[in-house]
Amino acid sequence: MVNLEQIRFNMVEQQIRTWNVLNQEVLDLLYEIKREEFVPAAYRFMAFTDMEIPLEHDAVMLTPKMEARILQELHIKKTDKILEVGTGTGYMTALLAKLGAHVHSVEIVPELHAMAHINLQTHDITNITLEKGDASRGWPGHGPYDVIVLTASTPVLPEGFQQSLAPGGRLFAIIGEEPMMEATLITCTSPGNYSSTRLFETCTAPLKNALQREQFHF
């Protein structure tokens, strides 16, 4: 018989903690919210592996260590209003909702939106608003936000995201194109002023309709 809790423990200790994720609140959450229950049935055997999981329409579920690292870098508070761009299966949405006050999560793929809705309802997570739409250039309707998370990459970060941050707000984005992308944390230091920290190099699938770099033609 498979001991899921032992496998989960191994995931946290061997993949996540060794990638410098040491925030105890984040680590505890990975035991509380069962990742395998948010993974599509065909890939459930991959729920604890250090690999991205393929989803509908070329989307992916980020690796467990990436999800945990994002949460740690954002320093989410119980009072935070959060925007998540790319709901996926709803797993990251659930983690964000447990840490913050309310999550507005936007998904462009109808099948994923429907899957996330069922997953989150099943887990009785209610401090969320799930919306269908294209938030690749921003989603200012419920702003300003204390936290914004892009769960897929973007070659260029549209200015609309920074402009939707409240003072003190934090934005996580993976910016760039293959093979060179950088996970970046942007903080609104005061109205209209931002500081940017490059966290680490990585590579993941782009947002649908992501803003592209301008091509120069000679």
Side-chain angles (χ1 to χ4, degrees):
M1 187 172 160
V2 177
N3 183 342
L4 282 181
E5 293 315 309
Q6 183 61 49
I7 300 170
R8 194 183 327 279
F9 175 83
N10 293 346
M11 175 188 77
V12 171
E13 293 302 315
Q14 294 165 15
Q15 292 174 42
I16 293 168
R17 198 185 280 275
T18 57
W19 207 42
N20 219 22
V21 179
L22 305 172
N23 180 308
Q24 197 57 50
E25 189 178 16
V26 170
L27 296 175
D28 289 346
L29 202 50
L30 302 178
Y31 290 102
E32 182 186 345
I33 307 282
K34 311 296 187 192
R35 192 173 198 265
E36 70 277 12
E37 294 172 5
F38 288 83
V39 173
Y43 294 102
R44 206 147 282 172
F45 67 96
M46 290 172 62
F48 304 104
T49 58
D50 186 18
M51 294 169 68
E52 293 185 337
I53 292 174
L55 302 175
E56 304 262 357
H57 299 273
D58 300 323
V60 298
M61 195 169 175
L62 295 169
T63 63
K65 69 183 183 189
M66 179 71 84
E67 293 162 339
R69 184 72 180 269
I70 291 170
L71 295 176
Q72 177 170 278
E73 295 291 351
L74 286 167
H75 297 286
I76 298 165
K77 301 190 287 288
K78 281 288 176 210
T79 51
D80 283 345
K81 178 166 43 162
I82 302 168
L83 170 66
E84 179 189 34
V85 179
T87 315
T89 68
Y91 177 63
M92 191 70 171
T93 322
L95 298 173
L96 292 165
K98 285 286 182 179
L99 293 170
H102 195 91
V103 181
H104 296 272
S105 186
V106 189
E107 176 56 61
I108 194 170
V109 177
E111 295 92 332
L112 290 176
H113 171 81
M115 180 195 290
H117 182 74
I118 292 165
N119 285 342
L120 291 159
Q121 218 170 27
T122 303
H123 288 78
D124 200 27
I125 295 167
T126 55
N127 58 326
I128 50 171
T129 304
L130 298 184
E131 297 184 77
K132 256 187 292 197
D134 181 357
S136 62
R137 311 292 167 94
W139 198 260
H142 307 292
Y145 305 99
D146 302 299
V147 170
I148 299 176
V149 185
L150 277 59
T151 64
S153 64
T154 183
V156 180
L157 184 69
E159 284 182 9
F161 286 115
Q162 287 186 189
Q163 291 163 359
S164 291
L165 281 177
R170 289 87 63 210
L171 159 66
F172 177 90
I174 296 170
I175 305 170
E177 296 168 276
E178 285 189 342
M180 183 63 182
M181 302 180 189
E182 284 194 307
T184 305
L185 185 71
I186 294 168
T187 304
C188 179
T189 51
S190 62
N193 294 303
Y194 308 93
S195 69
S196 179
T197 305
R198 294 174 176 179
L199 300 172
F200 50 87
E201 290 181 6
T202 186
C203 220
T204 192
L207 289 167
K208 269 201 173 318
N209 304 333
L211 182 61
Q212 301 296 315
R213 290 186 193 283
E214 286 186 25
Q215 300 295 322
F216 293 100
H217 299 287
F218 295 100

